[in-house]
Amino acid sequence: MIFNLIAICPEETKDVLVDELKSLGATEIDPQFKAVHFKVDEEGFYDLHLKLRTASRLLKIIKIFSAKDENMLYDQARRIPWDEVFDVDSTFVIEGVPGERGPGVMSANTISKRIREALQSSFLHKKKKKPSVNLEEPDVSLSAFVRGGKCILSIDTSGKSLHKRGYRSDKHPAPIKETLASAILKLLKYDGSTALYDPMCGSGTIAIEACSIALNKAALIHRKRGDFGFEKLPFFNKDLWRKVQDKAREAKDEKLTAPIFASDIQSKYVDAARDNALRARVERYITFMSGDFFDLDPPAPEGLLIANLPYGERLKNVSQEETLDFYKRIGDKLKKDYAGWRAAFLVAEESPWKFFGLKPSRKINLLNGSIPVKLVVFDLYKGTKKIKSK
Ligand SMILES: C[S@@+](CC[C@H](N)C(=O)[O-])C[C@H]1O[C@@H](n2cnc3c(N)ncnc32)[C@H](O)[C@@H]1O
């Protein structure tokens, strides 16, 4: 059985997702805007759901058809054997996604309404009853993307968004998404062979995702039963799913090659990060510390330092002078103590990162949720303490 799938991702990290898909055996990989189309066999289908680190959702294409107007959309959708797609007793929701704007373009509402009517009519005809809509917690989520007179109709097989790995509590006010943390690690080519340190770890997301990469652990292995969308669909192959999970568990390494450290100035966040790591079953691999970055010594002679600096709401009550000083002190600390390290900071787009007084080797634009951010990377070579600012 070959599956025709779409992985959804932020546009900025699409190349990372393409690399992941290639390494996991996907074929016919075709990057689109904020999405990658590809094919995979049945075992690969389950493997991808378990292991993809940077996709936010996975959709299985049901049908691609012409939809030049709403009647054509209805007629084509009505021809789909819906009772083979999902069970009549399941609840569902349809997200209409217009892929363009302008006069004559169908609205999101029209797209979802017409497909709902077609689907319910088809069920009524075949099963004498129809499934009901549930906007809050549907068993089945459908997506209909309409652009250029064509509709791509698909079913969400990921269920909960894939950043929800199943290990994180909500004890930190500004955590980054697990998918973004992983994408950053992949962009920095982190593979577990160098020491890693997050000195402003908050809920520990970066250190936990790094540990998962370093141990070759499947990213979503700790999701609860029923969290994946495919588990509620008729084609679900329970035995194969179990086999794929067992294989992934066997492939996990038992030891790290290089250590992973995480600290935060607030001990309550360090406790929350430790709890999260415990739920992700990586707590014993990460050394957690409480303390101010400016007071702590580097935990290793060299390695990769990654920090997601406080911004936005967090700095609302801080004067501009204090903010500039914070950035300047980080730069001074790096120059003084971190020669031999590579340091990467996720900062707000408009942040005064130039006050680090260091020349970045890379700047990468990203989105943290809806906030435009930048990953600025510095190579702090040994013996080059005086690094010119830009
Ligand atoms: C944006 S949050 C990090 C969120 C984290 N990436 C996560 O996923 O939860 C920034 C963190 O920096 C910490 N912090 C701020 N100033 C610090 C300092 N001087 N030393 C250490 N940690 C600091 C804050 O307590 C906060 O938890």
Side-chain angles (χ1 to χ4, degrees):
M1 197 182 342
I2 296 296
F3 289 77
N4 223 335
L5 298 182
I6 305 172
I8 307 293
C9 64
E11 185 59 14
E12 296 75 17
T13 58
K14 193 167 65 186
D15 292 347
V16 175
L17 176 59
V18 167
D19 286 346
E20 278 199 273
L21 287 167
K22 280 183 192 158
S23 73
L24 290 168
T27 58
E28 297 182 43
I29 297 170
D30 177 17
Q32 306 276 329
F33 182 62
K34 293 187 180 183
V36 185
H37 291 222
F38 62 96
K39 291 193 175 154
V40 74
D41 64 15
E42 193 182 10
E43 184 164 341
F45 170 85
Y46 294 110
D47 206 38
L48 285 171
H49 280 78
L50 200 59
K51 294 183 183 166
L52 276 179
R53 297 184 186 279
T54 65
S56 56
R57 285 167 79 196
L58 283 164
L59 307 171
K60 178 179 177 291
I61 296 177
I62 299 169
K63 193 177 174 184
I64 301 179
F65 53 84
S66 291
K68 297 201 190 322
D69 55 42
E70 60 173 285
N71 291 332
M72 197 185 279
L73 180 77
Y74 176 92
D75 288 343
Q76 292 285 341
R78 179 66 178 76
R79 287 185 204 168
I80 294 169
W82 283 103
D83 57 321
E84 292 170 23
V85 178
F86 69 93
D87 193 88
V88 68
D89 294 319
S90 300
T91 58
F92 74 100
V93 73
I94 302 171
E95 186 192 12
V97 188
E100 60 201 338
R101 287 186 201 163
V105 167
M106 278 181 266
S107 69
N109 260 347
T110 305
I111 297 169
S112 65
K113 177 173 166 274
R114 295 301 278 160
I115 293 179
R116 171 172 48 79
E117 287 167 357
L119 173 163
Q120 291 189 316
S121 158
S122 163
F123 268 110
L124 271 176
H125 179 71
K126 287 209 182 155
K127 298 278 172 193
K128 309 288 172 241
K129 57 179 181 173
K130 57 181 187 180
S132 37
V133 173
N134 181 338
L135 299 178
E136 304 304 323
E137 273 194 52
D139 297 319
V140 173
S141 294
L142 299 159
S143 164
F145 177 80
V146 179
R147 187 193 166 106
K150 200 175 79 174
C151 174
I152 303 176
L153 188 59
S154 51
I155 190 158
D156 188 326
T157 49
S158 40
K160 285 187 178 170
S161 171
L162 292 172
H163 78 273
K164 296 188 175 165
R165 316 287 208 217
Y167 66 73
R168 205 164 71 183
S169 67
D170 54 3
K171 292 198 179 133
H172 193 279
I176 60 169
K177 278 191 179 161
E178 296 81 341
T179 38
L180 177 60
S182 265
I184 289 172
L185 288 157
K186 294 269 175 188
L187 283 166
L188 296 168
K189 306 269 181 252
Y190 174 76
D191 61 1
S193 59
T194 49
L196 183 128
Y197 177 32
D198 179 353
M200 302 190 190
C201 72
S203 54
T205 321
I206 294 171
I208 294 169
E209 291 295 315
C211 200
S212 170
I213 292 174
L215 293 172
N216 189 30
K217 203 176 146 118
L220 291 122
I221 196 86
H222 297 308
R223 274 197 153 188
K224 285 200 211 81
R225 190 179 297 168
D227 278 358
F228 284 105
F230 61 72
E231 291 172 85
K232 298 182 184 103
L233 298 176
F235 67 81
F236 177 39
N237 183 339
K238 226 184 210 168
D239 292 340
L240 186 54
W241 174 227
R242 204 167 290 146
K243 186 179 136 194
V244 167
Q245 287 175 294
D246 289 344
K247 259 193 183 176
R249 281 190 198 98
E250 276 164 32
K252 185 195 144 241
D253 295 332
E254 285 308 315
K255 277 188 185 162
L256 289 178
T257 309
I260 297 177
F261 306 92
S263 63
D264 199 284
I265 196 165
Q266 298 224 41
S267 58
K268 65 175 180 187
Y269 295 152
V270 178
D271 291 344
R274 203 180 273 114
D275 284 350
N276 288 337
L278 202 59
R279 271 188 294 274
R281 317 236 173 96
V282 294
E283 193 255 356
R284 69 191 166 105
Y285 297 101
I286 304 174
T287 306
F288 289 99
M289 300 162 284
S290 275
D292 188 331
F293 169 60
F294 301 111
D295 299 334
L296 293 170
D297 289 329
E302 56 186 37
L304 173 62
L305 179 152
I306 309 182
N308 164 205
L309 295 190
Y311 50 74
E313 276 298 298
R314 310 287 114 216
L315 290 182
K316 220 166 71 178
N317 301 321
V318 174
S319 71
Q320 205 200 357
E321 216 176 11
E322 281 173 293
T323 305
L324 298 184
D325 186 55
F326 182 67
Y327 278 77
K328 191 178 165 306
R329 286 174 67 211
I330 290 177
D332 291 345
K333 176 79 176 166
L334 295 177
K335 287 178 221 168
K336 182 170 157 283
D337 291 342
Y338 282 86
W341 284 70
R342 196 150 58 106
F345 294 92
L346 190 70
V347 297
E349 200 178 36
E350 301 309 325
S351 71
W353 62 267
K354 290 194 175 163
F355 277 73
F356 286 150
L358 292 164
K359 191 174 176 195
S361 54
R362 275 175 93 185
K363 288 179 279 180
I364 305 166
N365 291 326
L366 296 167
L367 277 180
N368 184 3
S370 56
I371 307 169
V373 290
K374 245 186 204 352
L375 185 71
V376 276
V377 187
F378 304 95
D379 289 303
L380 304 155
Y381 300 107
K382 271 189 181 139
T384 50
K385 289 204 172 174
K386 272 194 183 168
I387 305 168
K388 278 188 196 156
S389 69
K390 238 186 142 190

